[in-house]
């Protein structure tokens, strides 16, 4: 694996709900651009939020660097060609959404009919099979590894171990800024060059819940539940993180 500090952006390969992926002049590297696009409810609710791409790229980059320092291999390589983008390792994505929770919120409360805010004894861990057409259904570890065979037993073990450590690192990171990490979603892939399991996608206010001490949300719930100005919320989060650095 070379130590890359700069690549040249190539053609657009894929436009996701929130991120756009570009090829680069290195066959094992891609450029991932965080856009201002936002969506919820499997893409049913959509909008464009000024400043979101910048916030998500900055926060996700800071966290991925922290995860690397804590022994979690990630796809992050270096800064991209603009302030919304980063260079990442090319990976074959494992079609699993891995959710860690510290406090009851969102679908957990609906599913078990409990009020929002119950603090868990320890981090909980859930898996969903990532398939929009099926509505990302829940999947057990054995169904994922032995039934659908979408992940190896060894990777699953590492995914659980890394996700716990990701949760702990991110919780401490946001605590320094007076924010509580409620829950989060992460995705993993297999590095196309090395075959190693790596953390991919992003860790941003789009993919986690963050509350301040008054219970105000600094994340996509502001969009999901029409709680206020989404652009101002994302900018406020970036300010909190940058001013307290
Ligand atoms: P949930 O309460 O809707 O299950 O979401 C739990 C956490 O995972 C929350 O921080 C939002 C995040 N998440 C995503 O980023 N993408 C998804 O598709 C889902 C279902 C959740």
């Amino acid at each position: 694996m070379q130590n890359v500090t700069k690549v040249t952006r190539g053609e657009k390969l894929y436009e996701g709900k929130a991120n756009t992926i570009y090829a680069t002049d290195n066959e094992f590297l891609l450029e991932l651009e965080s856009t201002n696009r936002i969506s919820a409810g499997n893409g049913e609710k959509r909008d464009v939020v000024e400043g979101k791409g910048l916030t998500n790229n900055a926060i996700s980059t800071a966290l991925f660097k922290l995860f690397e320092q804590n022994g979690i291999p990630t796809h992050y390589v270096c800064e991209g060609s603009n302030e919304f983008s980063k260079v990442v390792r090319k990976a074959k994505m494992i079609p699993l959404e891995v959710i860690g929770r510290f406090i009851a919120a969102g679908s957990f409360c609906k599913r078990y009919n409990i009020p929002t805010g119950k603090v868990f004894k320890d981090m909980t861990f859930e898996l969903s099979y990532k398939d929009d057409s099926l509505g990302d259904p829940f999947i057990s570890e054995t169904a994922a590894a032995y039934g659908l065979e979408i992940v190896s037993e060894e990777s699953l073990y590492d995914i659980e171990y890394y996700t716990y450590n990701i949760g702990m690192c991110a919780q401490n990171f946001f605590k320094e800024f007076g924010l509580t990490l409620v829950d989060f979603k992460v995705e993993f892939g297999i590095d196309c060059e090395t075959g190693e399991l790596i953390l991919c996608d992003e860790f941003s206010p789009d993919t986690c819940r963050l509350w301040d001490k008054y219970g105000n949300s600094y994340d996509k719930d502001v969009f999901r539940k029409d709680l206020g100005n989404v652009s101002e919320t994302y900018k406020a989060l970036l300010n909190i993180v940058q001013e307290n650095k």
Side-chain angles (χ1 to χ4, degrees):
M1 224 196 293
Q2 320 101 301
N3 193 5
V4 178
T5 51
K6 195 162 172 35
V7 296
T8 302
R9 181 186 275 201
E11 60 170 328
K12 188 193 286 186
L13 296 178
Y14 172 74
E15 204 157 88
K17 286 185 202 138
N19 298 319
T20 302
I21 307 272
Y22 295 87
T24 71
D25 55 349
N26 182 318
E27 64 175 317
F28 296 115
L29 301 178
L30 301 170
E31 194 167 326
L32 188 157
E33 187 163 288
S34 303
T35 75
N36 291 341
R37 296 190 294 272
I38 194 164
S39 69
N42 214 355
E44 280 148 30
K45 185 174 180 181
R46 283 165 193 262
D47 208 344
V48 172
V49 173
E50 195 237 314
K52 186 178 89 86
L54 188 69
T55 305
N56 283 16
N57 188 45
I59 289 178
S60 196
T61 296
L63 280 162
F64 271 52
K65 285 181 179 174
L66 181 72
F67 298 151
E68 286 277 356
Q69 285 162 14
N70 283 275
I72 298 147
T74 80
H75 70 172
Y76 182 81
V77 176
C78 62
E79 285 174 9
S81 54
N82 60 39
E83 57 196 348
F84 317 111
S85 70
K86 55 180 90 65
V87 177
V88 299
R89 302 199 53 77
K90 192 174 183 177
K92 184 173 187 321
M93 293 303 292
I94 296 170
L96 288 174
E97 295 198 334
V98 187
I99 292 177
R101 299 180 193 270
F102 292 104
I103 298 177
S107 71
F108 191 94
C109 294
K110 274 198 204 122
R111 199 181 322 136
Y112 303 115
N113 192 25
I114 61 161
T116 300
K118 180 184 189 299
V119 179
F120 297 157
K121 228 166 119 180
D122 203 345
M123 200 189 96
T124 68
F125 175 84
E126 289 161 21
L127 293 176
S128 294
Y129 176 43
K130 195 173 158 71
D131 184 326
D132 278 347
S133 68
L134 301 175
D136 301 336
F138 270 119
I139 189 163
S140 70
E141 293 178 33
T142 48
Y146 310 137
L148 297 190
E149 296 186 49
I150 51 175
V151 62
S152 71
E153 213 178 317
E154 191 195 353
S155 289
L156 205 45
Y157 178 85
D158 289 342
I159 284 173
E160 201 161 332
Y161 175 74
Y162 290 152
T163 303
Y164 188 78
N165 288 321
I166 286 165
M168 293 302 156
C169 283
Q171 188 184 49
N172 288 332
F173 174 87
F174 287 115
K175 207 178 187 174
E176 278 185 40
F177 309 120
L179 296 170
T180 301
L181 178 65
V182 175
D183 54 30
F184 63 94
K185 184 264 307 177
V186 283
E187 295 181 26
F188 293 85
I190 302 294
D191 188 311
C192 288
E193 186 181 14
T194 65
E196 185 188 21
L197 177 76
I198 53 176
L199 176 67
C200 298
D201 195 50
E202 63 179 324
F203 196 118
S204 77
D206 273 5
T207 61
C208 73
R209 288 193 172 93
L210 295 166
W211 295 345
D212 70 9
K213 62 180 174 183
Y214 307 108
N216 297 313
S217 294
Y218 284 81
D219 56 59
K220 200 156 90 172
D221 267 356
V222 175
F223 175 70
R224 288 188 194 98
K225 302 201 260 179
D226 296 317
L227 298 177
N229 185 310
V230 186
S231 179
E232 293 305 320
T233 303
Y234 275 67
K235 281 183 193 159
L237 176 65
L238 188 58
N239 285 339
I240 291 171
V241 171
Q242 285 180 338
E243 277 171 21
N244 289 290
K245 237 189 217 167

